[in-house]
Amino acid sequence: MAGYQEGESPSPGENSGDESQGDEAIKILEKMKLNQRLAAKELISTEARYVHNLQLCASDIRSQLHELPEEDLDVIFSNINDVIKVNSRFLKGLEEAESEEEQLSLLGNLFLEFQEEMESAYKVYCASYDQALALVESYKKVPKLQKAIQDVITALVPQAGASGLTFLLVMPVQRVTRYPLLLQKILENTPPDDQAYENLQRATRAMQEVNSNINEYKRRKEIATKYNKLEHLTVRERLARINTHSISKKTLRLSQLFKQEAGIVTRTEDREFDDLEEKFHWVALCVNELKSNVASYLENLEKQRLERLVYHPLSHLSKALLGPQNLIKKRLDKLLDFERIEEKLAEAGSMTYEEEATRHTYQALNSLLVSELPRFNQVATQWLSQILHTLMALQRDLAQQVLQRAEGEMAQLPHSHVSESDFRKLVEDTLGKTSAQLHSFRQNFEKVLPVPITQPLQPAAERQVQTLVSKYGPSKLYQVTSNISGSGNLALTLQRGQIVALLQDRDTRGNTNRWLVDTGGYRGYVPAGKLEPYQVVSHEEPSMQTGSGDGFRFPPAEASRAPAHAAMPVFQVVAAYPFAARSSHEVSLQAGQPVTVLERQDKKGNPEWSLVEVNGQRGYVPSNFLVPVPSPAPWGWSLPPCDSPPSHM
């Protein structure tokens, strides 16, 4: 087609065509502008109604639900106040615009500005929404309670209808999912060359990301809730849960663990989580130890303030630790599954749908712990710190009371008339004399005390010690000084007095406070502070010589009939080792405790057992637990008579 020449006017038909196309473009643009304004107006108007209903829900409705416990109301309304604060400020920003054009350009900026705050508030609300809904559904089973709730809702929010509380509680969930749709509608009616287009596009992507993060957070919370349940199952119920699938999972995990211990495969390193777990275990250890000590303290003092201000909060904190402990243990199981699947994926390049779900479960659980555990550790540490401060304040009050009472009692003692300098000299002289007597007694006791003092073992334990000695040598043997309750990874539970062999004086992270030991049947980690070197005692025929390691000889009966001028030393029998009675025929001993020997053998004539009397109780104890020692001379100090001058003391 030939075009017209320069200077030549276009034909009337061509002019009319261009004008019609221009008119059509103008109409399309005007329609887009109209739709844009309507979509923006819809977002702002619905936002205003939404915030109004939220405020009504959080204030008037909650305050009139008198039939519901406060704990239930906290679950139902969750963090709705946080949602109201964020959206009220967001709405105020929208309403500050003076014109529709300014409002449109401001819209994208506001969504970008409030992105993090909205995500933080809504993800908590959405994660707890299912629990709130389940609680509301449970009320429907109680007609009287359901009627009272429905009457309140009908009076304040008639449009809720039969849905009742459900109508109000679902509003935040629906609103946050609607933001991307409303923004997308505005964006579709905004020309690309419009100055607000780029911000609206970024705001749309931002709110889509917010919804995606909320869904992921909710999924993690559901996984945590699933594995966080504390189940107290009977043996029958545990056996009923055993099936081919569970056995297969346990076997694969155990195999993966053995391969890691043997060095066949590498262990997944996660320094961030390991540090968080270690801090959590230290907090848990402090809480449990303090709770045990305070419980013992209460038994002796029966202080109501201590129980109310310290023990009860400590018990609540201890219960709060159980959930994270379960998740940390479950993470280890899922980590073994994850590592096995990663190995298979590297070799075969594919995995099943179930393996992919398992892989995602570990990743979600690990991400949840890494994000939530720091805050939990911080809150738990602050809580524990506050409890300790309260305990110290109560201790100061108790010390002041004891001091006041002691001062009153001291005023009634006979030395109250003695000057401070004279009384100090009296105490120093008496302590010096007493120290000399104790030193002499210790020297005499050490001459007859068996060395080393080692807790004798039962025959079965002796065989186990012999096995450990033959395998590792006597220098590697240690004895447990107090009961150990294992709660961590590969941690052992041991009884006081048990013998173990040291394999390594640190754990895999280089922590020297946890040692790897062998009990003769199991290997695992124990606190280093609860172990002390064990010295093997050779099994020889018990010598009845005084001062031998395995027995004693009583002074001959003739000694008691010796003349007074013979100055024979006076002996008494004491316990060389602590002994715990195992039946009513035996009696317990403490090391160094004086005893009275009634018979030097049992009823069958066995000299390995002696009948003794301790603190008014009679019973049998091992003969080689007893040693005779010289009795110390009576010691003590007495005050001068009241009529004596203090200087002559």
Side-chain angles (χ1 to χ4, degrees), residues 448-504:
V448 297
L449 189 64
V451 178
I453 299 178
T454 305
Q455 176 69 41
L457 303 172
Q458 298 298 326
E462 290 180 357
R463 289 193 295 271
Q464 184 179 5
V465 170
Q466 292 174 1
T467 302
L468 293 175
V469 170
S470 62
K471 189 173 181 181
Y472 301 103
S475 63
K476 292 289 186 179
L477 264 58
Y478 285 78
Q479 190 167 27
V480 180
T481 58
S482 61
N483 293 339
I484 299 174
S485 178
S487 60
N489 180 22
L490 297 179
L492 296 177
T493 298
L494 302 177
Q495 299 297 319
R496 177 178 177 271
Q498 192 168 345
I499 309 300
V500 297
L502 176 63
L503 299 180
Q504 192 171 359

Side-chain angles (χ1 to χ4, degrees), residues 72-109:
D72 286 6
L73 292 174
D74 290 338
V75 173
I76 291 173
F77 294 100
S78 185
N79 66 324
I80 196 169
N81 288 326
D82 296 335
V83 177
I84 292 173
K85 290 178 182 178
V86 174
N87 283 83
S88 296
R89 290 169 48 228
F90 176 72
L91 177 62
K92 184 178 179 181
L94 290 176
E95 292 174 343
E96 287 178 353
E98 297 180 356
S99 62
E100 292 183 353
E101 289 74 14
E102 184 181 353
Q103 199 172 59
L104 188 65
S105 62
L106 188 63
L107 194 60
N109 292 330

